[in-house]
Amino acid sequence: GIVKNTRNIIIDMIRSANTNIFMEQLYLYDSYIINALIKRKMEVPKLDIRILADNNSNIGLNGLPNTIYLRELNLYNIEVKARRTITSKKKLPNGDIQVFHQENHRNTLSVDGKTLLTGSSSLSPSSQQGITREAGIQIFDKESIRKFENNFLQEGASACI
């Protein structure tokens, strides 16, 4: 086989899409992948591209970095929704209050119900350029992919815009 980095695998998957691309991502600001999504949408206007991204409210940057390309994606009718961050407070034995944030660190891409890529690699330049060590797996089992896509569509329907 050929060794490829995650960015190349993702771009190849995007280029092969004909009916749908469903993505769940913690970070969404790798320009190569954003450009590949836009280019494929222009080539196949009926392509259903939906992205469910973390809103990153726990880092206090008002949606950044995921909002950097939001305008461009919306211009090409690529649906991006934010997943709510769940926050809870816990009283510690010493009386202090600790705030916990549940991050939705899902990094999954499904194309046409045929291929699914999931792993630890976020769509950020540092992950895609190999600055951090990441792992991923491609799944070709149609039943597993169908389950992911059904779950994605249900969760996406209730996500905030």
Side-chain angles (χ1 to χ4, degrees), residues 67-157:
T67 55
I68 294 172
Y69 295 103
L70 190 57
R71 185 180 146 273
E72 286 80 7
L73 291 167
N74 285 329
L75 282 173
Y76 292 94
N77 294 317
I78 296 173
E79 180 182 289
V80 180
K81 289 187 176 182
R83 189 185 287 282
R84 289 182 174 87
T85 300
I86 298 170
T87 302
S88 63
K89 295 179 181 179
K90 174 80 173 162
K91 188 173 184 177
L92 302 177
N94 67 0
D96 290 348
I97 301 294
Q98 176 71 44
V99 179
F100 295 94
H101 303 282
Q102 184 259 330
E103 217 174 54
N104 291 289
H105 195 155
R106 299 178 194 172
N107 298 307
T108 305
L109 165 67
S110 175
V111 173
D112 293 344
K114 297 176 183 175
T115 309
L116 185 128
L117 175 67
T118 190
S120 60
S121 186
S122 300
L123 297 188
S124 66
S126 62
S127 286
Q128 298 304 310
Q129 292 167 353
I131 294 170
T132 57
R133 290 186 183 212
E134 307 289 354
I137 185 169
Q138 273 188 297
I139 298 169
F140 300 97
D141 178 68
K142 289 188 168 100
E143 179 63 20
S144 297
I145 297 167
R146 184 187 62 74
K147 287 178 182 177
F148 164 78
E149 290 186 349
N150 287 341
N151 187 51
F152 175 89
L153 293 170
Q154 287 175 358
E155 288 190 26

Side-chain angles (χ1 to χ4, degrees), residues 2 10-11 15 22 25 33 36 52 72 88 93 103:
I2 297 171
I10 292 170
I11 290 173
R15 287 179 180 158
F22 299 145
Q25 292 296 318
I33 293 171
L52 190 53
E72 286 80 7
S88 63
E103 217 174 54

Side-chain angles (χ1 to χ4, degrees), residues 6-22:
T6 306
R7 179 186 282 144
N8 289 338
I9 292 170
I10 292 170
I11 290 173
D12 286 348
M13 289 175 70
I14 292 168
R15 287 179 180 158
S16 74
N18 292 307
T19 57
N20 66 276
I21 297 173
F22 299 145

